[in-house]
Amino acid sequence: MSPVFDETEYARRLDTFRATLKAAGLDAAVVHTPENVCYLSGHATPGYYTYQCLIVTADGEAALLMRQTETENAHATTYFSKVVGFADSSDPVAETVRLLAELAPSARAVGVEERSWFLPPEPFHRLTDGIRKAGATTAAIDGAIAAARLIKSPAEIEQIRGAAAATNAGIAAAARAAVPGATERSVAATAFASLVEAGSEYFGMEPFVASGPRAGTIHASWTDRRIERDEAVLLEMSATYGRYNAPLMHTVWTGKLTGDAARMAVACDAARAAALTEVRPGGSPAAAHAACKAAIADAGLAHTYRKRSGYSVGIAFAPDWGEGHLLSLGENEQKTFQPNQVIHVVPTLRIAGVAASGSPRPS
């Protein structure tokens, strides 16, 4: 793939990050999370399951480090002139310490990610020990990168719109396929094909398709179960476009909607509308979550709601399609909404073994 954006977009991000490093008194930073590496450099590969990192110095140096076999991907997806590969027989942590010393030989303080899923405790401790032995202290930079990623540029929003269009196509095709007599597997196959044909890359998470008594189970995906009349088919999926995501949850009912399922559908729609009144610049994720829960409680269905009410979306690699670790609609979220954030508002009511009701339209 060629870079998703032009060079000025990545230069702007790196300049902002360098300003943050200087303000924090840091001489350099080492970034490991695939989404953060992609955000700052453009580098995107499904090979992130092996060690890779990005080193950025406060005075203008930057380099990518990865397996030698992955370096061609980095040259194709980024504008970086310095892409360093290590042999599979090498110690990547030692290579990181060496490259950091080359790029920032006088560094006295280095930023590191403390919450990256892709740097487990053992290599993390070896990395920070190596940095300290070289004479530098370390400090967490997770929050600084998160703050930057939450605010989307116009170019990023266009990518998310592309993902949303593909997601809508996948959901619509899956909904048309979810008829009595069809299997969950066939619905999932339709969703996969439609998402890809509409422009999606490989997903951050697979589509979820669950019917009947399985529809009330979170994150349950397709089986060979055959869909019957008068039951729910819960669909949830996200296309990925330029590594940007736009998830959507939708419930199909294969007959006449009655009883608890009908009450859940009405309550879910009201809850979503209530939450959206608080999703605005200066608004509070905690207030949005509280409004959502209140609408559900007013409908007498509080016992069916046991989750957050939404989350930020943007760049994602498996195993997730969201940025809930950066911002979620929950009672403990202390951030406020800012202009140009993209938030997925997704109340979901569930009764185990019966049904679920998901957001009826895109956020």
Side-chain angles (χ1 to χ4, degrees):
M1 297 188 299
S2 58
V4 173
F5 305 110
D6 63 33
E7 192 168 4
T8 59
E9 175 79 5
Y10 296 109
R12 177 190 62 78
R13 298 177 188 182
L14 285 168
D15 287 345
T16 299
F17 186 50
R18 288 189 175 106
T20 301
L21 295 179
K22 290 177 181 178
L26 299 173
D27 302 300
V30 186
V31 179
H32 288 86
T33 300
E35 290 85 352
N36 292 340
V37 171
C38 182
Y39 176 77
L40 291 168
S41 71
H43 177 54
T45 172
Y48 60 86
Y49 62 88
T50 61
Y51 186 97
Q52 64 176 18
C53 72
L54 166 66
I55 297 175
V56 179
T57 70
D59 63 7
E61 293 290 330
L64 286 159
L65 175 69
M66 64 199 64
R67 295 173 68 202
Q68 286 176 344
T69 191
E70 287 284 353
T71 56
E72 290 302 315
N73 286 340
H75 283 299
T77 58
T78 77
Y79 298 98
F80 275 41
S81 58
K82 193 170 184 64
V83 177
V84 180
F86 56 81
D88 284 351
S89 57
S90 298
D91 176 0
V93 173
E95 293 295 327
T96 303
V97 174
R98 182 200 62 74
L99 183 57
L100 178 62
E102 175 188 326
L103 296 174
S106 302
R108 291 294 174 263
V110 177
V112 295
E113 290 182 277
E114 294 185 347
R115 301 175 186 171
S116 176
W117 296 355
F118 298 89
L119 190 66
E122 190 273 334
F124 172 81
H125 289 305
R126 285 201 295 119
L127 174 64
T128 53
D129 287 347
I131 292 171
R132 290 167 186 152
K133 286 177 182 177
T137 60
T138 60
I141 56 164
D142 308 76
I145 303 177
R149 281 180 52 197
L150 282 171
I151 309 300
K152 272 61 178 183
S153 70
E156 289 181 284
I157 290 173
E158 283 305 304
Q159 294 298 308
I160 295 171
R161 290 188 189 282
T167 299
N168 284 342
I171 283 278
R176 289 192 296 269
V179 297
T183 64
E184 294 175 352
R185 183 178 301 278
S186 67
V187 174
T190 297
F192 268 89
S194 300
L195 289 166
V196 174
E197 288 172 357
S200 182
E201 306 159 16
Y202 58 95
F203 313 128
M205 226 182 340
E206 72 276 12
F208 294 110
V209 179
S211 65
R214 301 181 64 251
T217 304
I218 190 169
H219 295 158
S221 206
W222 64 92
T223 67
D224 287 319
R225 183 182 186 276
R226 199 166 294 279
I227 298 167
E228 299 178 4
R229 281 202 64 79
D230 295 318
E231 66 180 22
V233 183
L234 188 65
L235 306 173
E236 186 178 16
M237 62 193 70
S238 178
T240 303
Y241 194 85
R243 291 320 312 160
Y244 286 81
N245 294 259
L248 177 62
M249 181 183 289
H250 191 87
T251 303
V252 172
W253 193 266
T254 61
K256 186 176 181 180
L257 195 58
T258 60
D260 285 340
R263 293 172 57 222
M264 290 163 65
V266 173
C268 191
D269 197 29
R272 182 178 177 277
L276 284 173
T277 64
E278 301 292 339
V279 182
R280 50 182 170 75
S284 162
H289 181 59
C292 186
K293 289 178 65 178
I296 295 166
D298 288 346
L301 291 167
H303 63 288
T304 70
Y305 195 56
R306 300 178 294 277
K307 63 184 282 295
R308 62 188 178 182
S309 298
Y311 46 89
S312 174
V313 294
I315 296 174
F317 291 80
D320 198 0
W321 59 40
E323 296 178 337
H325 58 297
L326 304 185
L327 184 148
S328 281
L329 275 62
E331 55 265 20
N332 298 322
E333 184 58 78
Q334 301 302 311
K335 301 180 180 72
T336 57
F337 294 121
Q338 304 296 321
N340 295 323
Q341 291 182 333
V342 181
I343 308 298
H344 182 38
V345 181
V346 58
T348 313
L349 312 187
R350 289 184 171 88
I351 298 177
V354 178
S357 181
S359 178
R361 52 187 181 272
S363 304

